[in-house]
Amino acid sequence: MRLGIIGGSGAAAFLAGGETVAVPAGPWGETSGPVRQLAIAGHDVLLMSRHGEAGAQAIAPHAVNYRANIWAFRELGVDHLLGINTVGGISASATSGALVLPDQLIDYSWGREHSYCGKAGRALQHVEFSTPFCTRLRSRLLGAARRAGIELQPGGTYGVTQGPRLETAAEIDRMERDGCDLVGMTAMPEAGLARELDLSYAICCVVVNRAAGRTPSGVAIHAEIASNLQAGLGKAERLVRELLAGG
Ligand code: HPA
């Protein structure tokens, strides 16, 4: 497995260290930033921060160049891609601080460059997408969580909103009726693009807040996010290390 990791909000320093590798120029423009390579348990792992490097102006979810990012990983020989995504929790089990491995998604985002088809000589493809996340990578992550004693919720539906604003309570009510357990802003078009390039893709979600209308009374959403982010990302880091140690 040659693993690539796309770190999410607050994760610019995820698995810190390593060396910067040159990103090959591609037909899709600039990536969110450089790619770092580091060795973990004898594997070379490549990392990029989805919203740009620490210290730089953060790239909003709708402005991320998802096509360039995923393409760069493919060009660098990555065959498995793991996204680390901070999300809001909609279903009762998606409590702040929880780690969740979704198995489905619903895309509410719009206007994003979401396909490679028809450009740069790429033919039209209607990729199969009934299972948007790689089942094998998901079971390996669940195995790693079991071995490391990390609680990882084994499924859920991720609803992708456009952002960058958070949702209204009524929007979250509608998403809940649709069957969404989690809300975030970045799993699409990332998952679809990874599928078009035939990469095994999954995401590990860190619930950093309860979604709009579900926040504990008296807790400001941004304070809730800040208090859950680092601990959640720490668990996700341990999960990645165990995944790689396991083969
Ligand atoms: N909504 C959308 N995206 C998010 C949230 C949220 O509540 N929390 C973290 N990412």
Side-chain angles (χ1 to χ4, degrees):
M1 165 164 72
R2 186 161 163 84
L3 182 68
I5 298 177
I6 305 185
S9 290
F14 193 76
L15 293 167
E19 292 171 7
T20 300
V21 296
V23 178
W28 313 103
E30 295 283 307
T31 62
S32 293
V35 172
R36 279 187 289 128
Q37 174 166 320
L38 65 160
I40 302 175
H43 297 267
D44 282 335
V45 180
L46 295 169
L47 285 114
M48 188 194 290
S49 171
R50 193 186 282 120
H51 301 285
E53 287 296 276
Q57 170 87 38
I59 305 167
H62 65 280
V64 169
N65 190 344
Y66 296 94
R67 291 194 301 190
N69 291 352
I70 307 284
W71 190 266
F73 277 112
R74 208 271 307 254
E75 291 297 287
L76 290 166
V78 160
D79 48 24
H80 288 73
L81 195 53
L82 176 66
I84 306 294
N85 296 45
T86 55
V87 296
I90 299 176
S91 58
S93 60
T95 50
S96 291
L99 234 51
V100 186
L101 194 60
D103 57 349
Q104 278 297 330
L105 61 79
I106 299 178
D107 189 7
Y108 302 89
S109 71
W110 49 270
R112 302 180 179 190
E113 294 285 6
H114 65 286
S115 173
Y116 294 109
C117 291
K119 290 207 178 139
R122 309 249 337 154
L124 174 61
Q125 271 180 296
H126 297 292
V127 289
E128 226 285 305
F129 205 49
S130 52
T131 306
F133 302 111
C134 171
T135 310
R136 282 198 58 226
L137 181 55
R138 289 184 62 261
S139 28
R140 287 170 79 162
L141 285 159
L142 288 169
R146 225 173 290 123
R147 291 194 303 277
I150 297 168
E151 213 177 296
L152 177 61
Q153 296 181 19
T157 297
Y158 178 130
V160 190
T161 56
Q162 178 72 353
R165 66 165 177 84
L166 296 168
E167 299 70 33
T168 66
E171 285 169 337
I172 294 295
D173 290 344
R174 179 180 75 152
M175 291 175 76
E176 184 163 44
R177 288 193 296 274
D178 285 352
C180 295
D181 300 294
L182 307 169
V183 55
M185 301 176 188
T186 52
M188 284 297 279
E190 213 169 80
L193 291 165
R195 182 61 55 87
E196 285 190 10
L197 296 187
D198 214 14
L199 300 179
S200 299
Y201 175 89
I203 59 175
C204 173
C205 292
V206 179
V207 182
V208 289
N209 60 280
R210 295 286 297 154
R214 281 133 184 88
T215 43
S217 58
V219 178
I221 206 159
H222 289 106
E224 196 190 355
I225 291 173
S227 79
N228 289 302
L229 188 61
Q230 288 317 317
L233 291 175
K235 277 196 284 184
E237 255 200 55
R238 279 209 293 131
L239 180 68
V240 170
R241 289 187 188 283
E242 183 60 41
L243 173 75
L244 291 160

